[in-house]
Amino acid sequence: MAITGVSTLRMGVSSGEILSLFRDIPDGLTKADVMRHTGLSRTTVNQRLDGLLAAGLLMPAPTEARTGGRPAGQFVVNRGRGVLLVADVGATGLRTAVCDLGGEVRAERDVRADVTSGPTAILTIVSKLFAELLDERGHAPGDVLGIGIDVPGPVDFASGRVVSPPIMTGWDRFDIPGWFTAHYNCPVLVDKDVNAMAFGEQRLRYPEVPHLLMVKIGTGIGTGLIAGGQVHRGADGAAGDIGHIQVVVDDVAEPPLCRCGNVGCVEAYTGGWALVRDLQAAGRDIASVDDAVRLIRSGDLVAVRLARRAARILGGAIADTVNLFNPRIIAIGGQLAHTDEQLFAGIREIVYRRSLPLATRNLQIVRSDLDPNAGILGLAQLLVDGIYSPQRVQELVDRGGAGSKIMLPVPDGE
């Protein structure tokens, strides 16, 4: 935290802001370091640190962390105060993990699972994997301070419920938070998968970039927006869904039917399921998006042609988004992001040709560094931000005691 006006901040630096200093500097800080960063007096720093230590949010740095000339009296964030459970639910598979309070994955499981089998079937699998992960790490359900779930569909963030999802049969308005709060005494965060991916990518790979667009090209097409360093969900959680923009393709007489019920959507041409459909129609013996990826990578002429067409169509939709949103980074993930350069070359060509020069002057279009773990890591960071929000930290310090329960802020729908 850069302090530019110490004299005006001296009395107003909260316990939460001091804790943020420690989150930003994992190696730890001494009392003198905190005084230098904040301008607070020694007496005030002692008081704030005592409160954070009593609440179990800080701890003395382990002895092994003070080698190499590091001073004694260092403190670090107590990442072991509890754990987080997160689940990244995709169209054809899901990944679960238990994380510490720094958002670092401590153990994980992933399985194949069809999201169209419905919420009861999928969430039963998630619950089973959560129990296995806790047991593996020696934790009890009472150690869980937050649960995060992302799904491949539109989410009303305030309620944590999926609303009219195109591919998630039976999930409409299902009470996902209620499923878990029946067994865990902690808050449950539910978000769109690409929002979590976007937040993870920005926070962990591009923290200096406040405006980022995440595009997931898998079974479907999803996009997440980071504006000003925060997830931009829009008024109702529906922001960023370029997969269902309708387009006109010159060589197509009859636009294809999309899974959302409309015709001619970007996803109906460029999604993994659409490529599988078209490759099967061309006589290729494939059954999954992974099969389509292997066919494209092998150089199959029909597969490559379809991939290039998909890239041009998707590039057009992304170019419109660039003109509207002006991101600095476009990170692309998902299964089809791993088709060598066939897809990226086409997307870059269209985006740089159709977007305004000012919007592309510093634009980078890159493959996601975190894929396929971006969703898991993004969920963990969203949960950690809620747990360590200045308001919640202050409430915990005021209550006192390391046994006090940390609760997440109530979502505001933003």
Side-chain angles (χ1 to χ4, degrees), residues 313-374:
I313 294 170
L314 186 56
I318 293 174
D320 291 342
T321 307
V322 168
N323 286 331
L324 182 67
F325 177 56
N326 188 204
R328 178 61 51 84
I329 298 288
I330 298 175
I332 300 178
Q335 292 150 289
L336 289 167
H338 300 280
T339 55
D340 293 330
E341 281 299 311
Q342 287 97 333
L343 207 66
F344 278 84
I347 290 173
R348 289 190 180 106
E349 175 192 353
I350 299 299
V351 169
Y352 286 114
R353 176 154 56 88
R354 287 186 44 179
S355 300
L356 294 171
L358 181 59
T360 57
R361 184 174 61 181
N362 297 303
L363 178 67
Q364 298 178 54
I365 302 174
V366 300
R367 183 177 284 108
S368 167
D369 281 341
L370 301 180
D371 198 37
N373 289 319

Side-chain angles (χ1 to χ4, degrees), residues 85-411:
L85 292 173
V86 292
D88 175 27
V89 179
T92 58
L94 61 88
R95 186 181 301 267
T96 57
V98 58
C99 303
D100 65 21
L101 293 189
E104 185 173 340
V105 173
R106 293 303 183 183
E108 61 184 315
R109 295 274 195 285
D110 62 271
V111 298
R112 304 299 294 176
D114 186 349
V115 76
T116 62
S117 60
T120 299
I122 294 298
L123 297 179
T124 296
I125 295 171
V126 171
S127 294
K128 178 176 180 292
L129 295 175
F130 279 172
E132 291 177 0
L133 289 167
L134 288 175
D135 184 63
E136 176 182 326
R137 299 296 302 177
H139 290 289
D143 297 330
V144 180
L145 301 183
I147 293 175
I149 311 288
D150 69 34
V151 294
V155 173
D156 175 10
F157 187 68
S159 68
R161 299 184 186 225
V162 183
V163 179
S164 301
I167 68 168
M168 299 175 66
T169 305
W171 287 80
D172 186 35
R173 303 185 192 280
F174 185 86
D175 186 9
I176 299 173
W179 175 278
F180 292 100
T181 54
H183 304 285
Y184 295 94
N185 181 27
C186 69
V188 179
L189 178 152
V190 184
D191 209 342
K192 184 173 71 172
D193 57 355
V194 195
N195 285 343
M197 294 172 68
F199 194 70
E201 198 77 29
Q202 190 271 340
R203 178 61 61 87
L204 299 175
R205 287 295 179 266
Y206 303 100
E208 75 289 351
V209 175
H211 305 293
L212 177 145
L213 173 67
M214 181 80 204
V215 182
K216 180 183 179 183
I217 316 173
T219 302
I221 302 297
T223 44
L225 303 172
I226 300 296
Q230 299 298 320
V231 178
H232 177 71
R233 299 182 177 89
D236 298 297
D241 200 348
I242 69 170
H244 297 288
I245 294 173
Q246 290 178 301
V247 294
V248 176
V249 178
D250 292 338
D251 60 350
V252 176
E254 185 175 348
L257 178 67
C258 185
R259 296 182 301 179
C260 71
N262 291 322
V263 296
C265 294
V266 169
E267 184 178 304
Y269 291 101
T270 66
W273 66 269
L275 291 180
V276 171
R277 174 202 64 206
D278 292 343
L279 285 168
Q280 289 174 339
R284 300 301 188 266
D285 183 20
I286 68 170
S288 68
V289 178
D290 288 336
D291 292 339
V293 170
R294 283 191 289 270
L295 208 58
I296 295 167
R297 290 175 63 90
S298 73
D300 178 273
L301 293 180
V302 174
V304 170
R305 176 176 60 80
L306 288 171
R308 287 175 176 167
R309 186 185 74 164
R312 291 193 297 271
I313 294 170
L314 186 56
I318 293 174
D320 291 342
T321 307
V322 168
N323 286 331
L324 182 67
F325 177 56
N326 188 204
R328 178 61 51 84
I329 298 288
I330 298 175
I332 300 178
Q335 292 150 289
L336 289 167
H338 300 280
T339 55
D340 293 330
E341 281 299 311
Q342 287 97 333
L343 207 66
F344 278 84
I347 290 173
R348 289 190 180 106
E349 175 192 353
I350 299 299
V351 169
Y352 286 114
R353 176 154 56 88
R354 287 186 44 179
S355 300
L356 294 171
L358 181 59
T360 57
R361 184 174 61 181
N362 297 303
L363 178 67
Q364 298 178 54
I365 302 174
V366 300
R367 183 177 284 108
S368 167
D369 281 341
L370 301 180
D371 198 37
N373 289 319
I376 286 290
L377 295 171
L379 283 170
Q381 292 300 317
L382 284 167
L383 286 170
V384 170
D385 272 13
I387 287 172
Y388 289 144
S389 70
Q391 176 189 351
R392 299 298 161 177
V393 169
Q394 192 59 54
E395 289 175 359
L396 192 64
V397 169
D398 290 343
R399 288 199 300 268
S404 300
K405 194 71 172 178
I406 299 177
M407 301 297 287
L408 298 180
V410 177

